[in-house]
Amino acid sequence: EDQVTQSPEALRLQEGESSSLNCSYTVSGLRGLFWYRQDPGKGPEFLFTLYSAGEEKEKERLKATLTKKESFLHITAPKPEDSATYLCAVQAPSGYSTLTFGKGTMLLVSP
Amino acid sequence: ETGVTQTPRHLVMGMTNKKSLKCEQHLGHNAMYWYKQSAKKPLELMFVYSLEERVENNSVPSRFSPECPNSSHLFLHLHTLQPEDSALYLCASSQDPRTNRAGEQFFGPGTRLTVL
């Protein structure tokens, strides 16, 4: 059974204080790992796709990396508008492969 | 309208009511999904439709009945719900679910459902 564990559950940062969110996964063959951002009262918003170990993707202050067992979402010099819940999901390789999500990390960036 | 829209945004219903949730996508995708999001739990996939054919049904109780009349519209018909069914119901769409692009899903804002 595919499993996704995100840590920490919640993270509070000061504006400009860089940090990382972790996503550990267990899947029988990884087709893709996905990061989403969810703001309160809204649906998740797609951020990144990572397909293989060693791959990195960047978008503004966010950088996602992937190893064979986990992914990190690095946040450099965060701003209050980066406050959101960040979700990680994995896609297994077979057939109509659907996503298995983690519970998310709630990030709060204070000015 | 752009992206994925859902109506209503909020719904309060009694356990004996029948109601329907509606989702519409304007992205030209051919797969649509229903998810349930409860506090402190991961997103739970309920149903997947590919080209209007249901291809996934994750052991969802029969009081939830999906309908996909075409590739742009998705409904979730609700009847005889329980209080534990109260949650945020999210609709999403994507490219063909048999491909890598299926993980790049576009979500609607959700319907906040409360069952009394």
Side-chain angles (χ1 to χ4, degrees), chain B residues 16-110:
Chain B
T16 58
N17 291 158
K18 290 185 180 181
K19 296 286 184 182
S20 295
L21 309 185
K22 179 183 176 182
C23 174
E24 185 172 359
Q25 61 98 359
H26 309 268
L27 299 168
H29 290 156
N30 54 25
M32 298 187 77
Y33 310 78
W34 279 117
Y35 287 90
K36 176 183 179 182
Q37 189 172 39
S38 305
K40 306 292 185 183
K41 287 187 173 182
L43 272 169
E44 299 173 56
L45 178 67
M46 300 176 71
F47 302 104
V48 181
Y49 276 85
S50 175
L51 295 171
E52 303 144 44
E53 177 188 353
R54 190 192 311 179
V55 297
E56 188 90 12
N57 176 350
N58 278 0
S59 303
V60 179
S62 59
R63 57 186 183 269
F64 295 91
S65 175
E67 178 189 1
C68 186
N70 56 61
S71 60
S72 298
H73 293 85
L74 186 65
F75 295 88
L76 187 63
H77 304 298
L78 315 172
H79 65 95
T80 325
L81 293 192
Q82 305 298 311
E84 59 265 28
D85 296 322
S86 298
L88 181 68
Y89 288 85
L90 290 160
C91 172
S93 69
S94 78
Q95 305 283 10
D96 189 335
R98 292 165 295 183
T99 71
N100 291 357
R101 299 296 303 276
E104 298 174 14
Q105 296 182 9
F106 292 78
F107 286 81

Side-chain angles (χ1 to χ4, degrees), chain A residues 31 36 38 41 43 49 91, chain B residues 9 37 98 100 103-105 108:
Chain A
R31 174 177 273 185
Y36 286 81
Q38 186 172 21
T49 306
Q91 184 185 23
Chain B
R9 294 294 309 278
Q37 189 172 39
R98 292 165 295 183
N100 291 357
E104 298 174 14
Q105 296 182 9

